[in-house]
Amino acid sequence: MKKQVMVVGLGHFGSAVARALAARGTEVLAVDKDAVRVRNVSQTVTEALCFDATDEELLNRTAPSKRDACICATGDEATEASIMCTALLKQMGAKRLIGRANNDLHARILRLVGADMVVNPERDFGERFANLLIHDRVLGELPLGTDLVLTELEVPKLFIGRNLIELQLPRRYGVTVVAIRHAGEREVSVPDPKAGMEEGDVLITVASKDAVTQMLERL
C-alpha cells in the first residue's frame, strides 16, 4: 500500500519535497493558497488543492489523521500561518507531523504546538556546505532524522596504516564507521576492523551532529 503524505506550502522547499515524494511512488496531496504554485505541481502529485491551510474547516476535509505524514512547509513570509497550520494538523490527529522553521524560536514554537520533527533547510544546507569548504576531506553529508548525520569522508592522513580497532573512533569521538569504499573501487563494503586504511579510502560514518567536524579539528 502506498504511503499518503500531505504537503502544505508549495514554495521552493515544499514543491521540491512534494515532487521528490511523488517520484518515489508516494501519494501526495499538495496544498497552497497560491493558485500558480498549485498549478505548477498539479501534474506531478496525486492531488493539488488551492486553499488557505489556516482555514480549519477546509483543512479538516483533507483528513490529516488518515495520512502517514503531514508536512507544513510554509515559507518565510508566513511564520504565523505555519504555527497555526501545525497546531491545527496536530489537533486533527496527524500521525507524523513535520514542520519547517525559519529560526530557532520558530522551531521551538512548532515543537510546542505538536510538530514531531522540525527542519530548517536553509540553515542545514549552509552548515553542510560550510563543512565541505572547511574540511576538504568531507565529501558529503546527509542528515538522518534530527540528531544523526551520515558523512562520506576521505580517510584522514593520521588514520592511514591504522585500523578501526586501534583508532577506537566511537569511544574517542562518537563516530562509527559503517562502510568503506577502498581507493579505486566504486562499491562500498563492510569495513574489516583489523585491516589498515590506505590513502584514497573513503569512510562512511554515522555520528551525532558536528561529531565528525570536531574529530577532524582534534586530529
Side-chain angles (χ1 to χ4, degrees):
M1 188 179 203
K2 291 184 178 181
K3 287 188 176 296
Q4 296 184 336
V5 175
M6 177 163 66
V7 179
V8 179
L10 300 174
H12 294 302
F13 175 66
S15 59
V17 170
R19 289 190 175 97
L21 288 169
R24 288 162 174 76
T26 302
E27 292 185 1
V28 177
L29 168 61
V31 176
D32 199 290
K33 64 180 180 180
D34 186 314
V36 174
R37 290 178 175 180
V38 172
R39 187 165 58 250
N40 286 340
V41 302
S42 61
Q43 299 301 311
T44 306
V45 301
T46 307
E47 186 177 7
L49 300 177
C50 183
F51 69 88
D52 186 343
T54 63
D55 185 315
E56 186 172 358
E57 181 180 351
L58 294 178
L59 187 63
N60 193 46
R61 291 180 187 176
T62 64
S65 64
K66 296 182 180 180
R67 304 188 184 278
D68 295 288
C70 295
I71 303 169
C72 185
T74 306
D76 295 342
E77 73 281 2
T79 299
E80 292 182 10
S82 79
I83 295 169
M84 186 179 298
C85 177
T86 301
L88 288 172
L89 288 170
K90 188 66 175 181
Q91 292 171 18
M92 293 172 186
K95 297 175 185 175
R96 187 181 183 201
L97 182 52
I98 301 165
R100 175 197 172 181
N102 304 323
N103 51 56
D104 290 340
L105 176 59
H106 189 193
R108 289 199 298 272
I109 295 173
L110 291 179
R111 292 190 182 94
L112 285 172
V113 299
D116 300 302
M117 178 181 177
V118 177
V119 297
N120 185 328
E122 291 84 2
R123 184 190 64 190
D124 293 343
F125 174 78
E127 290 177 352
R128 292 198 299 275
F129 185 63
N131 282 340
L132 296 181
L133 288 176
I134 295 170
H135 303 289
D136 58 2
R137 291 192 173 255
V138 175
L139 305 178
E141 290 186 331
L142 177 68
L144 300 176
T146 57
D147 302 320
L148 296 178
V149 177
L150 184 75
T151 302
E152 188 178 17
L153 172 72
E154 187 174 347
V155 64
K157 291 187 180 298
L158 290 178
F159 290 4
I160 295 173
R162 304 176 69 186
N163 61 46
L164 293 175
I165 294 176
E166 294 176 67
L167 292 169
Q168 299 184 38
L169 300 182
R171 182 183 66 79
R172 297 174 63 192
Y173 305 108
V175 174
T176 300
V177 177
V178 295
I180 187 169
R181 185 171 69 246
H182 293 292
E185 296 183 4
R186 298 181 62 182
E187 300 296 327
V188 299
S189 58
V190 176
D192 179 353
K194 298 180 180 180
M197 299 181 194
E198 300 179 2
E199 178 69 38
D201 285 350
V202 173
L203 309 178
I204 291 81
T205 69
V206 173
S208 60
K209 185 179 177 181
D210 297 329
V212 169
T213 298
Q214 292 170 5
M215 178 185 74
L216 292 173
E217 290 173 350
R218 291 169 58 186
L219 294 177

